[in-house]
């Protein structure tokens, strides 16, 4: 928990600094900004690592709390399993979203997003 805590400080505060403070800051965040980040492997891996570490750290911390406070063995087992399954599902879905993201998916040639998405996939 301490090791992942230190890694999370770097990942979370790096994420907040780049998204909210650099260049146009929070006002620059729109679809193009996010799609631009996901066109870069560096930011794909940054976000995926942040997702994995936050979910594993958070679910493991919740497991500690459940083990500390839930006295009924059966209920404890159900809750710990639910935590593990929820974390695993979110890790799989989030990782798929980051690595399969396609800014042109569903965008029509005469749509407002066409030029933005074409510039991103080049
Ligand atoms: C800057 C980011 C973070 C740092 C430095 C950090 C650090 C820590 C540390 C050192 C512990 C262990 C405390 C102990 O052993 O008593 C802990 C526990 C915990 N963390 Fe984090 N954490 C961070 C982010 C998160 C996030 C994003 C979540 C949720 C997704 C989370 C959820 C928890 C939970 C549920 C516990 C267990 C608390 C307990 O045992 O009572 N943390 N954290």
């Amino acid at each position: 928990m301490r090791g992942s805590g230190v890694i999370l400080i770097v990942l979370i505060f790096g994420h907040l600094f780049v998204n909210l403070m650099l260049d146009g800051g929070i006002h620059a965040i729109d679809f193009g900004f996010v799609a631009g980040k996901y066109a870069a492997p560096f930011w794909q891996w940054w976000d995926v690592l942040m997702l994995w570490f936050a979910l594993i750290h958070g679910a493991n911390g919740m497991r500690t709390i459940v083990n500390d406070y839930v006295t009924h063995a059966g209920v404890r087992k159900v809750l710990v399993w639910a935590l593990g399954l929820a974390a695993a599902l979110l890790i799989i879905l989030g990782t798929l979203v980051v690595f399969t993201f396609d800014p042109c998916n569903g965008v029509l040639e005469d749509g407002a997003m066409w030029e933005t998405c074409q510039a991103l996939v080049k």
Side-chain angles (χ1 to χ4, degrees):
M1 290 303 278
R2 293 168 192 182
S4 58
V6 173
I7 293 170
L8 279 166
I9 290 180
V10 177
L11 292 172
I12 292 174
F13 287 99
H15 165 85
L16 291 175
F17 180 70
V18 170
N19 282 15
L20 306 181
M21 294 174 81
L22 280 191
D23 298 326
I26 192 169
H27 303 291
I29 295 182
D30 56 10
F31 179 81
F33 177 87
V34 177
K37 277 188 95 180
Y38 283 167
F42 178 84
W43 289 117
Q44 287 181 329
W45 278 105
W46 187 289
D47 280 11
V48 155
L49 286 175
M50 191 163 62
L51 177 81
W52 291 351
F53 274 97
L55 277 167
I56 293 168
H57 173 102
N60 190 48
M62 284 304 298
R63 185 181 62 87
T64 305
I65 294 171
V66 167
N67 284 338
D68 279 351
Y69 286 97
V70 181
T71 49
H72 189 285
V75 176
R76 204 165 54 232
K77 200 170 183 183
V78 168
L79 290 177
V80 169
W81 265 96
L83 279 167
L85 288 175
L89 182 70
L90 290 171
I91 284 174
I92 292 168
L93 289 179
T95 304
L96 279 173
V97 166
V98 171
F99 287 121
T100 64
F101 179 73
D102 172 7
C104 294
N105 192 11
V107 177
L108 301 174
E109 213 165 322
D110 56 355
M113 289 307 297
W114 182 252
E115 281 179 18
T116 308
C117 97
Q118 286 302 307
L120 285 163
V121 291
K122 269 179 196 148

